[in-house]
Amino acid sequence: MSDRLTIGQLYPASLHSTTLQRSSLPKQSVAGEASFESLLQQKLLKFSNHAAKRLEQRGIELGSGQLDQISSAVDKAAAKGSKESLILMKDLAFIVSVPNRTVVTAMDGNSIKDNVFTQIDSAIVISL
């Protein structure tokens, strides 16, 4: 054997680094098959900047159980063809863009009182 191997080296020294690189083959995807990341993004509940500010200003903290309930409510609204939904949960209210799965704004009990909700096409009441 004429090629010399050194410790920590898997290939003979005569090979160039370009030989070891994988060729970039175009990714073959089956029609209708979505990547894991895109599926995950479709299922995640997002909060707009406005909603995040309102949650912080009003001292609203949501637990994982509550987030799951809101996400489930969004799924139900999507199944019925809703676009903008009002989700009522105990003394909280959320306006959600259903196709984007994004909470647009959040309100606590004091903000809900004497308020008129416009530009919604559905309402979901979550009972705890």
Side-chain angles (χ1 to χ4, degrees):
M1 209 174 181
S2 62
D3 289 332
R4 195 179 99 194
L5 291 175
T6 57
I7 296 174
Q9 186 176 3
L10 296 174
Y11 298 97
S14 61
L15 290 178
H16 296 286
S17 63
T18 57
T19 309
L20 301 177
Q21 294 176 354
R22 292 183 180 172
S23 62
S24 58
L25 297 173
K27 293 183 178 180
Q28 304 275 335
S29 64
V30 177
E33 181 180 324
S35 70
F36 175 74
E37 183 177 348
S38 66
L39 288 174
L40 184 62
Q41 290 300 321
Q42 291 172 1
K43 285 296 189 183
L44 285 179
L45 184 65
K46 299 175 273 295
F47 288 82
S48 69
N49 289 335
H50 176 78
K53 287 178 187 175
R54 293 298 173 259
L55 288 170
E56 185 179 332
Q57 286 174 349
R58 295 170 178 155
I60 301 170
E61 293 183 17
L62 298 172
S64 62
Q66 291 172 314
L67 291 173
D68 289 342
Q69 289 178 322
I70 295 169
S71 183
S72 175
V74 173
D75 290 338
K76 290 176 185 175
K80 295 288 186 176
S82 298
K83 302 293 182 212
E84 298 289 325
S85 275
L86 168 67
I87 298 177
L88 297 171
M89 181 171 52
K90 201 172 181 179
D91 63 341
L92 301 174
F94 304 94
I95 302 291
V96 179
S97 170
V98 176
N100 299 331
R101 298 189 60 82
T102 303
V103 176
V104 177
T105 193
M107 292 159 274
D108 59 2
N110 294 330
S111 302
I112 295 172
K113 293 177 185 172
D114 297 326
N115 205 342
V116 176
F117 299 99
T118 60
Q119 298 180 357
I120 60 169
D121 59 10
S122 59
I124 303 161
V125 179
I126 299 174
S127 52
L128 300 173

